[in-house]
């Protein structure tokens, strides 16, 4: 399976010795893949599934930065700068990643021009996407951000949690208040876009939510 993913995503840019060190790692929905502030020791290639990347401020507020699909890298900036993880990454769906230890990369690929060029391109794209994500949270209204979040968190299902704690979590993640999320959800219910009880939110009109979102989606 590792060899198949290497071929599929053209990871032959890595020297063969480094390819031999790659390990396939699997995660279930809701699993935390890495936590902001923890020591980073692996570079991971997302080869299957969907992940959520969020950041927590010094005051404890969390914000969704992006949702990512294959192929994406986790730990690339940390590898270059030798810093702890900058963000928290969680599995939204079943996820598969190819992981390699930093020390194996240093030993087998550190001086390889093709690999370093590939890494530079990936990091550059990551900063571009981060800028777009921050603009999204700054410039778009809560109903757009909330509709986008609901769609992004239900790629293979129609429901997600609706308890007070879960709504508070959503509010933090999209950069608003619990009350504002509550009011917006009520408007979505009145418009026939969702159904809601104390435990779950059910999406009943994805097309209607997509009309609210337009192209302004976390993806």
């Amino acid at each position: 399976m590792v060899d198949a993913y290497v071929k599929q995503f053209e990871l032959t840019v890595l020297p063969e010795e480094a390819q031999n060190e790659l390990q396939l790692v699997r995660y279930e929905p809701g699993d935390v893949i890495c936590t902001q502030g923890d020591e980073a020791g692996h570079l991971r290639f997302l080869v299957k599934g969907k992940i959520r990347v969020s950041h927590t401020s010094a005051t404890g507020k969390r914000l969704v930065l992006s949702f990512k699909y294959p192929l994406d890298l986790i730990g690339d900036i940390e590898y270059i700068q030798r810093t702890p993880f900058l963000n928290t990454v969680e599995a939204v769906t079943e996820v598969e990643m190819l992981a390699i230890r930093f020390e194996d990369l240093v030993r087998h690929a550190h001086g390889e021009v093709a690999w370093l060029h590939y890494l530079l391109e990936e990091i550059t794209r990551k900063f571009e996407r981060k800028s777009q994500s921050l603009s999204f949270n700054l410039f778009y209204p809560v109903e757009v951000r909330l509709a986008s979040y609901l769609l992004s968190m239900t790629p293979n299902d129609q429901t997600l949690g609706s308890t007070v704690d879960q709504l508070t979590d959503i509010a933090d993640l999209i950069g608003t208040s619990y009350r504002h999320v509550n009011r917006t959800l009520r408007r979505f219910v009145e418009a026939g876009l969702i159904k809601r009880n104390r435990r779950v939110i059910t999406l009943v009109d994805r097309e209607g939510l997509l009309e609210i979102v337009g192209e302004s989606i976390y993806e």
Side-chain angles (χ1 to χ4, degrees):
M1 183 62 76
V2 171
D3 290 341
Y5 278 137
V6 167
K7 183 177 180 180
Q8 178 183 350
F9 292 105
E10 299 181 349
L11 296 181
T12 49
V13 68
L14 279 168
E16 186 174 351
E17 295 86 351
Q19 293 176 40
N20 292 335
E21 301 290 350
L22 291 167
Q23 299 291 322
L24 182 63
V25 186
R26 294 182 172 89
Y27 300 92
E28 296 299 319
D31 285 352
V32 176
I33 295 166
C34 59
T35 301
Q36 179 180 331
D38 283 359
E39 182 179 354
H42 290 78
L43 177 67
R44 295 176 174 90
F45 300 86
L46 174 63
V47 292
K48 178 182 177 182
K50 180 178 183 177
I51 58 177
R52 181 180 72 180
V53 182
S54 60
H55 185 81
T56 303
S57 71
T59 60
K61 290 293 184 180
R62 292 191 299 156
L63 190 68
V64 171
L65 297 180
S66 60
F67 290 85
K68 296 181 180 294
Y69 298 90
L71 177 73
D72 211 284
L73 275 62
I74 300 298
D76 45 1
I77 297 173
E78 292 83 355
Y79 169 66
I80 295 296
Q81 296 185 335
R82 289 300 192 272
T83 60
F85 284 114
L86 300 175
N87 303 307
T88 295
V89 179
E90 301 160 90
V92 176
T93 65
E94 291 183 353
V95 164
E96 292 186 354
M97 290 183 155
L98 296 182
I100 182 170
R101 297 184 303 171
F102 286 172
E103 53 261 43
D104 291 328
L105 278 174
V106 170
R107 185 164 65 251
H108 299 304
H110 187 67
E112 296 292 328
V113 174
W115 162 246
L116 295 176
H117 182 70
Y118 173 87
L119 198 58
L120 176 61
E121 288 185 339
E122 290 299 319
I123 291 173
T124 300
R125 278 196 288 267
K126 181 168 289 188
F127 276 111
E128 289 175 351
R129 291 194 294 266
K130 183 176 180 180
S131 177
Q132 293 168 354
S133 174
L134 291 174
S135 296
F136 178 70
N137 280 292
L138 285 172
F139 298 125
Y140 287 92
V142 169
E143 69 171 9
V144 174
R145 282 152 37 207
L146 181 56
S148 176
Y149 185 86
L150 295 177
L151 290 166
S152 294
M153 287 298 292
T154 55
N156 302 318
D157 199 357
Q158 294 293 100
T159 63
L160 69 166
S162 182
T163 66
V164 171
D165 286 345
Q166 287 165 324
L167 294 189
T168 300
D169 189 51
I170 292 173
D172 285 347
L173 287 165
I174 67 172
T176 188
S177 67
Y178 167 82
R179 290 183 178 181
H180 206 155
V181 167
N182 225 4
R183 287 196 299 269
T184 306
L185 288 175
R186 282 201 297 268
R187 290 199 296 271
F188 287 174
V189 171
E190 292 166 359
L193 300 172
I194 65 172
K195 292 181 180 179
R196 177 189 172 196
N197 59 38
R198 292 185 177 182
R199 298 187 63 183
V200 297
I201 298 167
T202 303
L203 278 61
V204 296
D205 185 0
R206 295 185 73 92
E207 291 301 319
L209 289 169
L210 282 168
E211 287 181 12
I212 293 174
V213 169
E215 297 181 357
S216 309
I217 193 163
Y218 283 109
E219 318 297 291

